[in-house]
Amino acid sequence: MPHKIGFTVISWSGHEGNYSAKKLMVHAPTVNGWRSTRFCPFPQEIILQLVERCRIRKLQLLAHQYLIPSKIEFHIGDRLPESSSPQQTHSLHRLGYVSLSDNEKTVFRARELKSVHVDAVGSYLKLTFHRNHVNQYNIYNQVALVALNILGDPVDGNDMGTALSRDQLIDQYLNNSQYSSALDGTYTGYKCDSISPLDDLAFDMYQDPEVAHIIRLLDQKKQDMVQEERFDLAKKLKQAIADLQKVGERLGRYDVEKHSAIEREDYDTAKQKKEQMEAYRLTVYQQLELHDLLDISQVNIHPFIYFFQKTLKIHYTLKVSSIHLWKPVSSWYVCVFSQISSLAYDERPLPALRKRSSDQPVSELDEMPPMTDTTTPRSPGASGQPEPLTEKAQREASLPIDIYGDSLVAGAYSKTWSYREDSLLAVYKKLMEVPPGTPKAELWSMTRAAVFLCKKALTDKVSSVFLASLNLLRMILSEFIPNHQLGKSEISHCVEQTWNNLLSRTGESTPRLRTLAITFIQEMALFREVRALQMVPVELVRAMQSSVPTRLALSRLELLERLLEQLGTKDSGFTLDNVMRFLAGGLEHSAASVRELSVRVVQAMYRLHGKAVLNFLPPDDTSTRKNILYKNLFDSLAKIDGNTIDTQPKKEAEKENGEKEKEEIRSLQEQLAVLKEISVEMKDQIRVDACAVLSSLCIFCGERDESFTEDGLDLHYWKHCPMLQRCLQCRQVVEIVSLTEHLLTECEWRADFTQCPLCSEALTRDKLTEHAQRAACNRESLCGCTVFLFHAHPETTLSAVTNVIPGDKMNILAGDLM
């Protein structure tokens, strides 16, 4: 599988100040890479030597936010060119180039991560930078490269594979040959997806280097556990890796902020950031140690900065599930700019480093995200103790401390999520083990102390702790209080103390937590003891303001809709009055989704209580109906009314209407049949009349005669029609205007005829020369049929010809006609 390839920068065109090309070999959160000299000549070049001969699969380049070259060319080979001039590159094969965005769309605030898929073998790689994109910030016409990542596979000395030539690339493009394009990912047997995300440039860019190394070791261990089919541990490692990625991102941001403060000479902020990083890092490592993932005594907490050399290997030890692993530390680290998003790594712009002002507040140290563990949590004290309780915590938790002890309550107040979860499980276990006959006073104290801890845990952001609190509360309401007959007062106290926190969790942005809270409240409302008190319905329908958060309002409406269906409005705590007053607020909410759900619940209430619901709504008049919400609502209620009336008369009326429609259809069909008969008769009559008219008319000359029957017309066509002429060769009667065409294409003697190229007449071949010498040939607008027309209608033909033929030509034509 392709992996990171180390390299050494051996030559470059030049650099400005401290921005040497050697910086491309070192990657840490504050490294800025290479930058060309001011007003440098182009192209600029950087030549790299790989740590070993390899087949490069992918190149990743991180561009500067405004010192951007228009394009970067790539050359690869196994030996350096004889000269450093651009012309002497015959020893390196050109792979192609990539163009970079001018970055105007991001207002020069982001950096472009460019990924190039290649398939080329070599030991040296040359990057050629062309002229920069012009912008207002690049006043010295410089170019820069922040980071470079090379991914590939090592090849042995016998592998003679080389980079593709230009001809081979053209052949691949035009003919889809066996060679792969040097700038895409279509190489046979290779898929970009086979590259590990941990080797991607974007991973290191966002991660603290030390944490990134721990993640890689845990990922390797996870793969080992999968091979051994130890899937529970593999799942645990997977969750740990996901949580550590967030930790690495945060530590990286702290480091960037620290160096930014140093540049501003704000050393107080820099010191504060340093302490913040150390405290957070220590907390994280303690969490890893707690889960048997890390031996904290063997981890170097100082940041790593590594230099690539051909045989560079730096080691340190990491304990993973009590197994020591020794691996080389990857030194390929890139600047951290902002939190990682869920977008694909390739081709996305990356936020540039932004310096913070000195008066910017420092974020508080947040708790490490939980590492989900599917095994049963350990009891407090199994692997260390939670931190001691503060004086404030001791005062407010005095009852739980008296009942359950300092150690358990300290776990409930701990900053470590697993201690908090363990304390709830311990309380659950203690309550389940309480024997029958225990004094009531002791039971009440145990219940109230447990409810206190449960109330606190209901606000916990960690899902496993929140779920443990729900399980504890469920057991208290459905088992502990009923089994020990503690009475309605304890049920009431339990619901009152936990209700607000429970209801607030239904407005969570996390779907899983929100669903858990909604489902539990619905379940709690149906507990026999809770249902008898009618507390949940009454609390649920308290007046809702239009400013209530949308998710919270939706959750309350969803619960109301479900519980109305299950409990109804009779002796349930739900009444027409309190429900409709609550829904009136929902109809006026600022969110459309809340208003739509409120309409649905109003319709459900209308089905239960009919027109009494209208007393709680605005009047159904023109003014109210101008609001589309109320117009649709009143229309839907009217439709419900229509569906609830007696349907028997309606069915009879529909039956009568159906019979009437059938009768009308039958009548219309009869009328249509009559019209069709009349239409056919009329058509026949018209056809007869037309035949009668046409039978007495010559369609060629237009002459009409009663004697033009079928035989009469034949005689007319044969002897008298002036527009027809008998062919002297084959004796066939044809139209005069088509006589020439007939002689040339249809006549039996057509082989003897040819067409005059000057006047287009059809002539026998032996008379063509004589005809062409006559003055009558080559006359404009004159054809052979003129002579025939003249003999048939001399006056008409002569008059028509006179209007279109010039005088000198007319004298010649007249001589021919006479």
Side-chain angles (χ1 to χ4, degrees):
M1 183 171 71
H3 59 273
K4 286 180 179 291
I5 302 296
F7 62 86
T8 303
V9 179
I10 59 176
S11 68
W12 62 97
S13 300
H15 65 273
E16 177 189 14
N18 294 325
Y19 298 98
S20 167
K22 291 282 186 181
K23 294 289 184 71
L24 295 174
M25 299 160 51
V26 181
H27 294 270
T30 54
V31 170
N32 293 318
W34 167 79
R35 182 180 298 182
S36 70
T37 58
R38 298 182 178 183
F39 301 110
C40 63
F42 288 99
Q44 292 281 297
E45 294 181 353
I46 296 177
I47 299 179
L48 315 174
Q49 181 179 4
L50 308 182
V51 295
E52 55 186 332
R53 189 169 185 266
C54 67
R55 181 182 294 275
I56 299 178
R57 303 295 197 184
K58 186 176 183 180
L59 299 173
Q60 292 182 299
L61 302 96
L62 179 62
H64 194 270
Q65 61 266 32
Y66 57 85
L67 306 179
I68 310 170
S70 57
K71 66 178 181 179
I72 301 177
E73 281 189 81
F74 304 94
H75 293 78
I76 193 171
D78 287 314
R79 57 191 178 92
L80 291 176
E82 298 176 359
S83 172
S84 60
S85 64
Q87 290 77 17
Q88 301 296 325
T89 60
H90 56 273
S91 60
L92 297 177
H93 302 278
R94 182 177 182 273
L95 297 179
Y97 70 90
V98 292
S99 300
L100 299 177
S101 169
D102 58 16
N103 219 15
E104 291 182 357
K105 292 183 178 180
T106 67
V107 199
F108 310 103
R109 293 180 179 176
R111 291 174 174 170
E112 182 181 10
L113 176 62
K114 199 75 173 181
S115 295
V116 186
H117 301 292
V118 301
D119 177 41
V121 177
S123 301
Y124 296 92
L125 180 68
K126 184 177 79 170
L127 282 70
T128 305
F129 299 81
H130 290 262
R131 186 169 297 278
N132 62 288
H133 285 296
V134 178
N135 58 68
Q136 58 183 329
Y137 300 102
N138 192 358
I139 58 178
Y140 302 115
N141 293 335
Q142 295 171 277
V143 292
L145 183 64
V146 177
L148 172 66
N149 192 22
I150 303 175
L151 297 163
D153 301 301
V155 296
D156 54 31
N158 297 326
D159 192 334
M160 299 304 294
T162 59
L164 301 181
S165 66
R166 176 181 298 180
D167 293 338
Q168 291 169 339
L169 288 174
I170 295 174
D171 184 65
Q172 158 70 15
Y173 180 78
L174 296 178
N175 302 320
N176 193 24
S177 72
Q178 61 180 339
Y179 297 104
S180 296
S181 173
L183 296 182
D184 66 21
T186 58
Y187 175 73
T188 304
Y190 162 64
K191 295 183 179 178
C192 300
D193 293 341
S194 62
I195 297 176
S196 170
L198 302 183
D199 284 335
D200 197 283
L201 180 59
F203 171 77
D204 282 327
M205 286 174 49
Y206 292 107
Q207 293 294 322
D208 171 77
E210 188 173 318
V211 174
H213 180 65
I214 295 174
I215 289 174
R216 288 190 172 95
L217 293 179
L218 292 179
D219 182 72
Q220 180 60 49
K221 183 59 181 176
K222 181 190 71 174
Q223 303 302 328
D224 295 342
M225 294 300 100
V226 172
Q227 293 295 327
E228 298 174 11
E229 297 188 355
R230 299 173 63 184
F231 300 118
D232 288 341
L233 184 55
K235 181 179 179 181
K236 182 178 180 180
L237 289 167
K238 176 184 176 182
Q239 182 62 43
I241 290 170
D243 295 335
L244 277 174
Q245 285 182 342
K246 298 177 183 178
V247 171
E249 294 162 19
R250 181 176 298 168
L251 287 172
R253 288 200 309 275
Y254 290 161
D255 200 14
V256 171
E257 292 167 1
K258 181 186 72 175
H259 282 80
S260 179
I262 292 173
E263 291 179 6
R264 300 193 307 267
E265 297 186 353
D266 182 4
Y267 301 117
D268 291 336
T269 300
K271 179 181 178 181
Q272 191 173 18
K273 285 295 177 184
K274 177 183 177 183
E275 294 173 351
Q276 192 175 15
M277 289 178 64
E278 291 176 351
Y280 186 55
R281 192 186 300 276
L282 181 60
T283 301
V284 170
Y285 291 164
Q286 288 174 344
Q287 291 287 324
L288 291 173
E289 187 180 34
L290 175 67
H291 287 266
D292 290 336
L293 297 176
L294 177 68
D295 185 355
I296 196 170
S297 64
Q298 298 181 3
V299 176
N300 182 6
I301 302 180
H302 297 289
F304 293 122
I305 297 180
Y306 300 105
F307 290 86
F308 273 111
Q309 296 177 359
K310 189 167 184 179
T311 58
L312 178 65
K313 292 183 180 180
I314 300 177
H315 301 81
Y316 68 81
T317 306
L318 181 70
K319 179 183 178 185
V320 182
S321 296
S322 303
I323 299 177
H324 291 279
L325 298 177
W326 288 81
K327 290 192 65 177
V329 176
S330 172
S331 56
W332 196 241
Y333 299 114
V334 187
C335 228
V336 177
F337 300 111
S338 69
Q339 287 195 6
I340 192 166
S341 68
S342 60
L343 298 176
Y345 289 140
D346 292 352
E347 309 300 335
R348 61 175 174 173
L350 298 167
L353 176 65
R354 299 179 183 176
K355 296 182 179 179
R356 298 177 180 268
S357 59
S358 58
D359 58 349
Q360 184 170 0
V362 179
S363 60
E364 295 295 329
L365 180 62
D366 296 325
E367 180 185 15
M368 175 188 173
M371 288 179 262
T372 303
D373 188 357
T374 58
T375 61
T376 304
R378 296 169 300 280
S379 61
S383 58
Q385 292 292 331
E387 55 269 33
L389 289 168
T390 63
E391 292 184 3
K392 179 183 177 182
Q394 289 176 354
R395 286 194 301 270
E396 69 181 20
S398 58
L399 177 60
I401 291 174
D402 293 340
I403 302 299
Y404 299 116
D406 287 337
S407 178
L408 188 149
V409 178
Y413 277 81
S414 174
K415 294 180 179 179
T416 303
W417 69 272
S418 59
Y419 288 142
R420 300 196 299 272
E421 183 183 13
D422 287 347
S423 67
L424 294 173
L425 295 175
V427 172
Y428 188 102
K429 183 178 180 181
K430 286 179 179 293
L431 293 180
M432 291 297 293
E433 293 175 350
V434 173
T438 303
K440 294 286 185 181
E442 185 177 344
L443 292 174
W444 287 331
S445 298
M446 294 182 70
T447 302
R448 301 212 169 194
V451 169
F452 177 88
L453 297 177
C454 191
K455 175 183 177 180
K456 182 180 184 302
L458 285 173
T459 62
D460 203 296
K461 295 181 179 180
V462 179
S463 59
S464 58
V465 179
F466 176 62
L467 183 58
S469 68
L470 293 181
N471 290 333
L472 177 58
L473 183 58
R474 179 185 292 106
M475 187 272 291
I476 293 172
L477 289 172
S478 63
E479 297 182 40
F480 188 79
I481 294 178
N483 292 344
H484 293 280
Q485 300 179 356
L486 298 182
K488 295 182 179 179
S489 61
E490 291 305 307
I491 293 288
S492 177
H493 173 80
C494 185
V495 174
E496 287 176 357
Q497 291 298 309
T498 58
W499 173 256
N500 289 335
N501 290 351
L502 266 176
L503 188 63
S504 67
R505 298 310 294 267
T506 64
E508 281 283 341
S509 59
T510 306
R512 180 170 179 266
L513 297 179
R514 179 171 178 263
T515 302
L516 283 173
I518 292 175
T519 304
F520 180 82
I521 291 176
Q522 182 182 0
E523 181 184 359
M524 181 177 69
L526 298 177
F527 291 157
R528 181 168 57 87
E529 290 76 12
V530 178
R531 181 173 181 176
L533 296 177
Q534 301 181 3
M535 294 184 65
V536 173
V538 172
E539 294 293 333
L540 188 61
V541 295
R542 290 194 181 277
M544 180 169 61
Q545 303 297 325
S546 60
S547 59
V548 173
T550 301
R551 280 190 294 268
L552 182 57
L554 286 173
S555 297
R556 293 178 65 182
L557 285 165
E558 289 175 13
L559 278 168
L560 174 59
E561 186 177 31
R562 296 180 187 180
L563 292 176
L564 275 175
E565 183 179 354
Q566 294 175 317
L567 301 177
T569 56
K570 183 178 181 181
D571 299 330
S572 64
F574 291 131
T575 65
L576 174 64
D577 183 77
N578 63 17
V579 172
M580 288 307 302
R581 291 185 186 278
F582 172 76
L583 292 175
L587 291 172
E588 299 298 328
H589 198 275
S590 57
S593 56
V594 176
R595 297 194 298 269
E596 292 171 0
L597 185 52
S598 299
V599 167
R600 197 167 74 198
V601 182
V602 169
Q603 293 169 349
M605 289 294 292
Y606 193 83
R607 292 186 181 94
L608 292 174
H609 297 277
K611 294 186 180 297
V613 170
L614 299 177
N615 296 330
F616 300 90
L617 299 175
D620 185 5
D621 53 23
T622 306
S623 176
T624 304
R625 282 183 170 266
K626 289 181 180 179
N627 186 324
I628 190 64
L629 174 74
Y630 285 107
K631 176 183 180 299
N632 293 338
L633 174 59
F634 287 127
D635 289 344
S636 65
L637 298 183
K639 185 177 180 181
I640 293 173
D641 282 336
N643 292 336
T644 58
I645 62 175
D646 187 7
T647 59
Q648 188 63 28
K650 183 177 180 181
K651 291 182 179 179
E652 294 178 356
E654 290 178 354
K655 184 177 180 180
E656 292 178 0
N657 292 336
E659 292 177 354
K660 289 182 179 179
E661 290 179 0
K662 290 180 181 179
E663 185 64 29
E664 290 177 359
I665 292 173
R666 190 181 304 110
S667 175
L668 289 173
Q669 288 176 341
E670 293 176 354
Q671 295 178 23
L672 182 61
V674 172
L675 290 174
K676 286 183 178 180
E677 292 178 359
I678 295 173
S679 175
V680 171
E681 293 177 356
M682 291 180 66
K683 288 181 180 179
D684 293 341
Q685 184 62 38
I686 292 171
R687 189 179 297 109
V688 171
D689 294 342
C691 291
V693 171
L694 292 176
S695 63
S696 59
L697 176 68
C698 176
I699 61 175
F700 297 105
C701 65
E703 182 179 352
R704 187 186 299 277
D705 195 318
E706 294 297 332
S707 64
F708 285 174
T709 61
E710 185 175 353
D711 295 335
L713 276 175
D714 288 342
L715 182 61
H716 171 75
Y717 293 156
W718 185 259
K719 290 187 176 183
H720 306 294
C721 183
M723 304 304 294
L724 300 177
Q725 173 68 33
R726 183 183 303 168
C727 175
L728 300 178
Q729 310 300 322
C730 65
R731 311 302 294 173
Q732 182 179 343
V733 176
V734 297
E735 288 185 78
I736 294 175
V737 294
S738 62
L739 178 61
T740 299
E741 183 180 0
H742 168 76
L743 291 172
L744 294 173
T745 61
E746 298 176 353
C747 184
E748 296 177 0
W749 301 91
R750 59 182 178 274
D752 296 339
F753 283 83
T754 187
Q755 189 172 25
C756 176
L758 299 178
C759 67
S760 301
E761 278 198 55
L763 303 166
T764 56
R765 298 181 183 277
D766 57 346
K767 294 184 178 180
L768 179 60
T769 303
E770 178 183 355
H771 166 79
Q773 294 174 352
R774 297 180 60 187
C777 185
N778 194 28
R779 43 190 179 239
E780 292 85 349
S781 303
L782 190 64
C783 65
C785 65
T786 306
V787 177
F788 296 103
L789 289 173
F790 180 80
H791 288 296
H793 297 277
E795 296 180 357
T796 304
T797 302
L798 189 60
S799 175
V801 172
T802 302
N803 293 330
V804 298
I805 297 180
D808 56 340
K809 299 293 182 181
M810 185 62 202
N811 293 332
I812 300 173
L813 176 62
D816 290 340
L817 296 177
M818 298 302 174

